[in-house]
Amino acid sequence: MSQTLEAVLNTNAAYATDFDKGDLPMPPGRHFAILTCMDARLDPAKYAGLAEGDAHVIRNAGGRASDDAIRSLVISYKLLGTREWFVIHHTDCGMETFTDEIMRGLPASSLKTAGVDASGWHDSGEGSGSTEGNYVDWLTIKDNAQSVVEDVQRIRRHPLVPGDIPIYGYIYDVRSGKLVEVSEATRVGMASA
């Protein structure tokens, strides 16, 4: 057993010892959802004041409005009653450090973990690779605020998203812990009814 696996299982055993949240309802109690990045420095429970059962938190690389993220938001609303959505990207995001073209090329030469230095991202070149990355939209980020606007706009225009759900756009500052509104995104995400 790896040290990581052992630590996770031991922590879970301690958590389960006095677990008292087994009766929480499935719908989120505060009726909202957050789409945000998977970055380990972000703790939506802390920066948004959440407890178990309060809100849906959907995470992916960059906090992007991918098809799967929108699928989750629609389920969150349609079946579980969320009434407001937040799109929250963050400063110093790794998705700003490469392009789709770079990401498509890295796994083509090797499936090993890539490295980065002053000259950019590079592959170790060990082992075999796969060109399947050519068929993935990696949703990299050129301009953080603009990507929030684009994601809110994509969600707002989606045919499965009702117009009466407000969608807010923010950037979490990893240095200060503050949420900074992207006013254009919030404007685009305003509810129509």
Side-chain angles (χ1 to χ4, degrees), residues 33-137:
I34 296 172
L35 170 59
T36 196
C37 187
M38 67 185 194
D39 191 300
R41 296 171 292 177
L42 279 63
D43 187 343
K46 289 183 180 172
Y47 72 60
L50 304 176
E52 288 99 329
D54 278 352
H56 288 148
V57 178
I58 301 155
R59 298 182 79 155
N60 65 33
R64 301 307 308 268
S66 63
D67 288 344
D68 192 59
I70 293 172
R71 176 189 70 91
S72 295
L73 287 168
V74 170
I75 291 169
S76 175
Y77 159 77
K78 187 70 175 174
L79 301 181
L80 297 164
T82 58
R83 297 286 179 247
E84 297 176 85
W85 296 342
F86 290 78
V87 173
I88 303 174
H89 293 192
H90 66 94
T91 58
D92 193 34
C93 185
M95 296 298 286
E96 296 175 286
T97 67
F98 57 92
T99 63
D100 280 14
E101 182 180 32
I102 290 169
M103 192 58 209
R104 287 184 180 115
L106 288 172
S109 60
S110 167
L111 298 181
K112 300 289 184 185
T113 300
V116 67
D117 58 26
S119 65
W121 287 97
H122 54 85
D123 208 333
S124 64
E126 299 173 16
S128 60
S130 172
T131 58
E132 286 299 310
N134 291 333
Y135 306 101
V136 175
D137 183 354

Side-chain angles (χ1 to χ4, degrees), residues 142-164:
K142 286 184 187 176
D143 178 290
N144 208 350
Q146 186 58 39
S147 70
V148 173
V149 172
E150 290 168 1
D151 284 350
V152 169
Q153 194 168 50
R154 178 158 195 258
I155 296 166
R156 169 84 296 138
R157 292 178 176 169
H158 198 281
L160 295 176
V161 173
D164 62 347

